[in-house]
Amino acid sequence: MGTYRHKETGKRFLLVHIPRTGGRFISVNLEKNGWEMEPIDYYGIPHYQHSVIDDCEIAHFYRELYEKHCDIEGIPQIAVIRNPVDRFISASTYFRTLYGSKVQQRMEDYDEFISIIENFHNDLDVETRNWWRPQIDYLTEETEVWKFEDGLGDDFGNWMSEKLEVPFEVDSHARYRGNKYEDLKLDKTDNLVDNIKRYYSDDIERLYSGSMDLNVR
């Protein structure tokens, strides 16, 4: 989501928003806690999180782009990661809405799975252009990482307070825009799960098997 500045303290941090990791909920809670997203000065024009730079929505900047466009020197960098299987299933509504019900069978064949992901036709929906990118593409050794599976409640709030050095209270009832196609997710079959694990094997190995030198809580 880019860099944020606290209205009272002036403290800043980078929120690395990996799609389908609770970003909308976190965004609402940041606002409730006095954090405002900073615009990016791009060719003299302020761009905000839903603006597109380098063919990517600012809200979903991955490592290469936030290092290029955001002023992150010396500030905390925070991200939430999610089990690759659950993250993929959560985002899979876009496959059904674009390709129809037969996409389930296609996604259970690994060659088709790769073809659909790498040729995903999302010209009309820039928001999803980077949803299939591996999570490790978003992170650096400087990124403080919280696991979605640990919840986004009080423990997350305490962790944010510690990392940002500003009190952070989570409103578990915070309202945000939902996905109207939430009931169109792909079925979590054995074949599909195997394909997801195979495609995102680096994420699983480096983020969920403890072999990457990251600040994962």
Side-chain angles (χ1 to χ4, degrees):
M1 289 183 183
T3 58
Y4 280 79
R5 183 183 295 273
H6 194 261
K7 288 187 289 188
E8 294 183 5
T9 67
K11 288 182 177 292
R12 302 174 62 245
F13 83 101
L14 171 70
L15 178 63
V16 181
H17 178 202
I18 301 171
R20 305 308 287 186
T21 59
R24 286 169 293 180
F25 175 80
I26 294 170
S27 177
V28 172
N29 273 281
L30 284 169
E31 184 177 346
K32 286 176 174 287
N33 282 273
W35 292 92
E36 295 180 329
M37 186 177 181
E38 298 178 315
I40 292 176
D41 185 351
Y42 188 62
Y43 290 101
I45 301 174
H47 285 63
Y48 295 86
Q49 64 172 327
H50 296 301
S51 301
V52 176
I53 297 176
D54 287 352
D55 204 33
C56 181
E57 191 177 32
I58 292 174
H60 296 146
F61 269 2
Y62 45 96
R63 179 177 60 248
E64 178 184 341
L65 294 186
Y66 67 68
E67 288 183 340
K68 178 180 178 181
H69 295 293
C70 298
D71 176 15
I72 60 175
E73 184 68 29
I75 65 174
Q77 300 177 26
I78 288 175
V80 175
I81 61 173
R82 188 174 185 179
N83 177 290
V85 173
D86 293 336
R87 174 177 173 253
F88 187 91
I89 295 297
S90 177
S92 67
T93 58
Y94 289 93
F95 295 121
R96 281 199 187 275
T97 56
L98 185 60
Y99 298 111
S101 60
K102 292 184 178 180
V103 74
Q104 176 77 42
Q105 182 177 356
R106 294 179 62 193
M107 294 296 284
E108 294 188 13
D109 177 272
Y110 190 64
D111 289 336
E112 285 275 358
F113 179 94
I114 294 175
S115 178
I116 289 174
I117 288 178
E118 296 185 350
N119 297 286
F120 188 70
H121 179 73
N122 50 11
D123 293 340
L124 301 179
D125 190 359
V126 68
E127 178 187 5
T128 61
R129 282 185 183 159
N130 291 285
W131 280 37
W132 322 118
R133 183 180 291 275
Q135 295 178 77
I136 57 175
D137 287 358
Y138 290 85
L139 309 174
T140 74
E141 292 182 0
E142 302 300 320
T143 315
E144 300 283 355
V145 177
W146 177 270
K147 288 184 177 180
F148 184 89
E149 294 76 23
D150 289 335
L152 298 177
D154 291 341
D155 287 344
F156 176 68
N158 293 335
W159 181 81
M160 289 284 283
S161 299
E162 175 188 343
K163 299 305 177 185
L164 301 178
E165 299 181 341
V166 176
F168 191 94
E169 295 185 4
V170 175
D171 178 1
S172 60
H173 302 291
R175 295 185 138 192
Y176 57 92
R177 177 176 57 87
N179 182 358
K180 62 182 179 180
Y181 301 114
E182 199 68 25
D183 59 343
L184 295 179
K185 296 174 185 175
L186 294 175
D187 296 329
K188 197 174 180 180
T189 62
D190 290 342
N191 283 345
L192 179 57
V193 169
D194 287 344
N195 289 343
I196 297 169
K197 288 181 176 179
R198 182 176 175 185
Y199 189 80
Y200 294 103
S201 59
D202 284 347
D203 275 357
I204 294 171
E205 175 65 23
R206 300 171 71 180
L207 298 177
Y208 281 83
S209 298
S211 65
M212 188 175 189
D213 187 18
L214 285 173
N215 301 312
V216 180
R217 178 187 180 275

